Amino acid sequence: MLGRVVVSRDEIASMVSRLAVEIEADIAGRAPVFIGVLKGCVFFMTDLVRQIAKPIEMDFVQVSSYGASTTSSGSVVLVKDITVDVRDRDVYLVEDIVDTGTTLTDVVRLIDARHPRSVKVVSLLSKPSRRQVEVEIAFLGTEIDDLFVVGYGLDHAERYRNVPDIHVLQPS
Ligand code: 5GP
């Protein structure tokens, strides 16, 4: 069940606005491609790109790692690939949360193999104390403690994604 609020909807909204300003200033030249990592990114991605007043393209990739558990299995399976050609394009990879760093490392490798001009990671949340693989997050919402959180796109066994605030998951 839902526990205490870790990041409120108001805090999320101000983080998204700040990130949109930072990213908009970073966009140079041709329209970049925003690639969201499904499914956790959905609300973050759609809230973020609507605040960027520059031409952009969107695509999504889906990988699976967690299943119904709350700890990483450490192996990532590609479920849905991108369809946009990212060769020589600037890519912003949009993640909900970076935990061990395994998923992001694999997704960055997948995108890099298509020869983009640049790849920068945008993540709403990060749990630095859980990191096993070092990853560079160019644009970060906020760091959180080692907690399993749900809401604003983040699930547990596909539930709670539609919850507006981010809560800690409480064992019931
Ligand atoms: P990593 O590969 O960095 O260990 O895990 C990244 C993925 O695990 C995230 O994209 C997310 O789907 C899932 N994940 C990691 N921590 C949490 C968490 O606290 N809550 C939820 N709902 N998912 C998480």
Side-chain angles (χ1 to χ4, degrees):
M1 59 191 236
L2 291 177
R4 69 177 170 87
V5 172
V6 178
V7 191
S8 72
R9 65 193 79 182
D10 291 347
E11 289 169 322
I12 294 170
S14 50
M15 284 188 318
V16 171
S17 299
R18 170 179 54 81
L19 290 170
V21 169
E22 289 174 15
I23 294 166
E24 196 172 307
D26 187 66
I27 295 175
R30 287 183 302 158
V33 186
F34 282 69
I35 299 178
V37 184
L38 292 171
K39 301 175 190 172
C41 76
V42 281
F43 302 111
F44 177 41
M45 173 95 158
T46 54
D47 284 347
L48 181 71
V49 296
R50 281 180 297 166
Q51 293 192 41
I52 294 174
K54 285 191 175 171
I56 63 137
E57 289 176 29
M58 289 170 69
D59 203 350
F60 295 93
V61 66
Q62 187 173 5
V63 292
S64 82
S65 60
Y66 269 35
S69 142
T70 56
T71 52
S72 175
S73 62
S75 59
V76 162
V77 177
L78 181 65
V79 177
K80 185 221 167 288
D81 203 347
I82 53 169
T83 54
V84 166
D85 183 5
V86 296
R87 180 176 286 272
D88 297 328
R89 307 288 300 277
D90 293 311
V91 171
Y92 292 93
L93 194 59
V94 182
E95 258 279 22
D96 49 359
I97 187 164
V98 182
D99 185 25
T100 64
T102 315
T103 307
L104 198 56
T105 303
D106 281 18
V107 176
V108 168
R109 196 172 295 144
L110 178 86
I111 306 297
D112 266 342
R114 280 79 190 270
H115 309 288
R117 196 162 78 101
S118 69
V119 181
K120 289 178 184 166
V121 172
V122 184
S123 186
L124 182 67
L125 303 174
S126 171
K127 292 194 259 187
S129 64
R130 295 258 310 155
R131 206 72 90 243
Q132 286 171 17
V133 193
E134 222 27 74
V135 287
E136 194 189 330
I137 305 174
F139 302 96
L140 176 66
T142 189
E143 291 183 348
I144 61 166
D145 293 335
D146 181 9
L147 303 165
F148 193 83
V149 291
V150 294
Y152 195 64
L154 289 152
D155 76 312
H156 177 241
E158 294 302 328
R159 285 191 56 198
Y160 306 114
R161 291 194 197 277
N162 59 324
V163 171
D165 303 290
I166 296 173
H167 298 249
V168 66
L169 183 73
Q170 199 113 286
S172 44

